Amino acid sequence: MIIFSEHTTPRLQYIVSVLFHRQAIITNDKNIFQQSEGIKINYSSQRISENELWLLPHSLLFENKIQPQQVTCFNWNRLKVFFRTDGDIPFDILAASFYLISRYEEWLPHTKDEYGRYAHINSLAYKESFLHQPLVNLWLMELKKLIEVKCKGALLPSAQFSFIPTYDVDIAFKYRGKGFLKNILTCAKQFVSGNFKAVSYQLKVLTSKAPDPFDVFDWLQTLHKEKNLNAIYFFLLAEKNKLYDKNILPSKSSMKELMKKIAAKDTTGIHPSWQSNDEQELLQKEINILFSISNTNIICSRQHYIRMSFPETYRELIRHNIQHDYSMGYGSINGFRASYANAFAWYDFAEEKETTLIIHPFCYMDANAFFEEKLSAQQASEELDYYYNITKSVSGECIIIQHNHFLTEEKDWIEWRKMYESFLQKL
């Protein structure tokens, strides 16, 4: 694939690299462009030849600053689009894709939610009702059809579908590793409320006569093995419990044993604590703890509570040698935050360059379905099926988030456990 543009900018190079999987070259030489065979995209103000796809540019990819953009959506082939121009399609697909994938709008002043995060209600995808779609992927599918006509059957490079189950281990155990005082208080509360069955089970767990209710890890690994799935577990390893960090302390022997067991079979990543966002030196400590116990290099991360802001969060991850981040989604609603279902490099607007950090968007999280969207297990099953199927239809990377304490056999969660098991068995 060759793309003609009178000017080459970091933004243009970046989005061409992302959308066409580094299989396209950009030239400003008309002769080279005209003589080339295969897919030819003319990204300039005038048509050059007949056997090309002509895209008339919007100004965004030729700017070098962040400023409010005039975004007016309209429909094209039953899909929402914006940045209207002329050409073989009525909008600048490169600039529009860049706007969504780079999270341009999140770099502008915005209202934050109760956790200090970018509120999803601010996003164009939410306002225009396409948050549930991997819209950029759908645009590319339509573009492919046009290219096959314009460029005599040439095919766009594409990715392969993959499914990656991921787990946030915020609270590894319900009773184990909680400490004597916390367990006494829990036992007392259950006794006073008349829940003698729970008291009896807690005592069995603490005397190693029964498994901890939150310990579903062997069950998960069995399910993964049956379907040949490679899972990622993100461990919250705050050294002290505070506010939203309610994990089992990493100093506990039960926690160390769990991390070693998981790391022996699956990928482990860090789940940076809430505290580490306020005290930057804590992140390296937490990474070091996971490294020392798992004995594997820690290159994957996902923010606890999906708490992040640009560019600070991602720059910190890069500084600590994190190569893959799995936080691109909302902690308040399910959907495609970047409107894209494939991995992509993070673009740093402050330096106007592509970085080494690879972003892996997720589209579904059980906590969103339960707490935010107020879905039943059956409704969540339908939503999960939808996101899996639409991601598969665009050859995307379907990443979902589950929490181990949502998958127990306790009364309140048994239906969610059954739903997830059924989902995995259908794959």
Side-chain angles (χ1 to χ4, degrees):
M1 174 187 289
I2 189 168
I3 298 174
F4 174 80
S5 176
E6 294 168 343
H7 305 285
T8 301
T9 69
R11 294 183 181 187
L12 176 59
Q13 290 175 320
Y14 168 78
I15 197 60
V16 165
S17 174
V18 170
L19 298 184
F20 305 124
H21 309 287
R22 303 186 184 277
Q23 296 184 40
I25 61 171
I26 302 173
T27 182
N28 61 0
D29 188 319
K30 288 185 180 180
N31 290 328
I32 291 176
F33 179 77
Q34 288 175 320
Q35 293 170 12
S36 296
E37 297 180 356
I39 299 173
K40 296 198 292 185
I41 297 178
N42 173 14
Y43 192 62
S44 71
S45 58
Q46 293 182 333
R47 189 180 295 280
I48 297 176
S49 61
E50 288 300 317
N51 61 333
E52 68 178 21
L53 183 73
W54 177 37
L55 304 177
L56 184 63
H58 182 274
S59 63
L60 182 65
L61 298 184
F62 302 103
E63 298 172 357
N64 57 8
K65 60 184 177 180
I66 291 284
Q67 60 186 352
Q69 299 289 329
Q70 183 176 352
V71 179
T72 303
C73 287
F74 60 100
N75 289 323
W76 170 68
N77 291 4
R78 301 179 301 281
L79 298 171
K80 286 286 180 68
V81 298
F82 55 95
F83 291 159
R84 185 189 290 272
T85 62
D86 293 321
D88 290 330
I89 62 174
F91 77 110
D92 185 343
I93 188 173
L94 299 182
S97 297
F98 178 80
Y99 182 87
L100 294 172
I101 291 174
S102 70
R103 305 308 304 128
Y104 190 100
E105 60 192 358
E106 296 192 38
W107 288 72
L108 298 169
H110 56 263
T111 303
K112 297 184 181 296
D113 69 8
E114 60 181 310
Y115 298 106
R117 307 171 301 195
Y118 179 82
H120 74 264
I121 59 174
N122 296 328
S123 70
L124 179 68
Y126 177 79
K127 292 176 181 177
E128 293 291 339
S129 301
F130 61 80
L131 181 60
H132 64 291
Q133 293 179 310
L135 189 61
V136 174
N137 298 83
L138 296 172
W139 290 344
L140 288 173
M141 291 178 72
E142 294 300 313
L143 185 68
K144 176 183 177 181
K145 296 175 186 177
L146 287 173
I147 284 176
E148 289 174 352
V149 173
K150 286 280 184 179
C151 303
K152 300 178 182 179
L155 297 176
L156 272 176
S158 60
Q160 286 189 327
F161 171 72
S162 62
F163 171 69
I164 305 173
T166 70
Y167 303 91
D168 287 351
V169 187
D170 299 340
I171 310 173
F173 306 112
K174 187 172 185 177
Y175 303 125
R176 291 183 67 197
K178 285 288 186 77
F180 179 76
L181 182 57
K182 285 186 178 179
N183 270 305
I184 285 293
L185 291 173
T186 300
C187 189
K189 288 179 181 178
Q190 293 178 153
F191 187 85
V192 170
S193 65
N195 194 351
F196 304 119
K197 186 176 180 180
V199 172
S200 175
Y201 193 85
Q202 181 181 359
L203 293 175
K204 288 180 180 180
V205 171
L206 296 175
T207 56
S208 301
K209 295 178 181 179
D212 189 279
F214 291 2
D215 188 354
V216 300
F217 303 101
D218 287 342
W219 172 73
L220 286 172
Q221 288 190 327
T222 298
L223 290 174
H224 298 155
K225 186 177 181 180
E226 290 175 357
K227 295 297 180 178
N228 196 28
L229 297 174
N230 297 313
I232 307 175
Y233 292 80
F234 294 94
F235 285 95
L236 177 62
L237 299 175
E239 291 188 288
K240 60 181 179 180
N241 291 156
K242 183 179 179 182
L243 196 58
Y244 300 112
D245 300 328
K246 300 177 181 179
N247 54 299
I248 306 300
L249 297 181
S251 58
K252 299 292 184 178
S253 59
S254 57
M255 193 65 177
K256 291 180 180 178
E257 291 169 6
L258 174 63
M259 286 188 280
K260 287 180 181 178
K261 182 174 72 173
I262 295 297
K265 293 184 178 180
D266 292 292
T267 301
T268 56
I270 194 66
H271 200 34
S273 66
W274 185 275
Q275 298 165 71
S276 72
N277 280 266
D278 301 320
E279 302 173 55
Q280 292 182 351
E281 72 277 4
L282 294 180
L283 178 56
Q284 189 60 58
K285 288 184 178 181
E286 294 170 11
I287 291 173
N288 290 343
I289 290 170
L290 184 55
F291 169 74
S292 65
I293 295 171
S294 67
N295 197 32
T296 58
N297 289 328
I298 308 306
I299 61 172
C300 298
S301 176
R302 176 155 58 230
Q303 295 299 113
H304 187 35
Y305 272 75
I306 315 300
R307 187 188 184 195
M308 61 179 181
S309 58
F310 299 136
E312 296 81 10
T313 300
Y314 281 169
R315 282 188 174 174
E316 274 301 296
L317 294 181
I318 293 171
R319 190 166 72 87
H320 292 288
N321 300 313
I322 296 297
Q323 299 174 21
H324 300 269
D325 181 74
Y326 290 77
S327 310
M328 184 54 70
Y330 291 113
S332 50
I333 193 171
N334 287 327
F336 297 94
R337 183 169 179 168
S339 301
Y340 193 54
N342 294 97
F344 57 92
W346 176 56
Y347 191 87
D348 188 342
F349 280 105
E351 297 188 7
E352 285 291 349
K353 70 175 186 179
E354 176 180 330
T355 70
T356 58
L357 183 64
I358 304 301
I359 308 304
H360 299 263
F362 71 89
C363 56
Y364 171 90
M365 176 163 62
D366 53 8
N368 283 342
F370 182 81
F371 291 116
E372 306 295 337
E373 299 172 352
K374 310 295 183 185
L375 302 183
S376 66
Q378 177 57 41
Q379 291 170 325
S381 174
E382 294 169 2
E383 182 179 56
L384 181 53
D385 284 344
Y386 166 79
Y387 282 115
Y388 177 87
N389 289 329
I390 194 168
T391 306
K392 187 175 183 178
S393 72
V394 298
S395 299
E397 185 178 67
C398 182
I399 297 174
I400 66 169
I401 304 176
Q402 296 285 147
H403 294 79
N404 59 293
H405 57 283
F406 275 52
L407 299 170
T408 79
E409 294 183 281
E410 295 180 307
K411 180 181 177 181
D412 291 342
W413 295 108
I414 187 63
E415 293 304 317
W416 289 78
R417 177 187 173 100
K418 290 178 180 178
M419 177 273 282
Y420 187 58
E421 182 175 21
S422 176
F423 167 75
L424 291 183
Q425 289 176 341
K426 287 187 297 185
L427 299 183

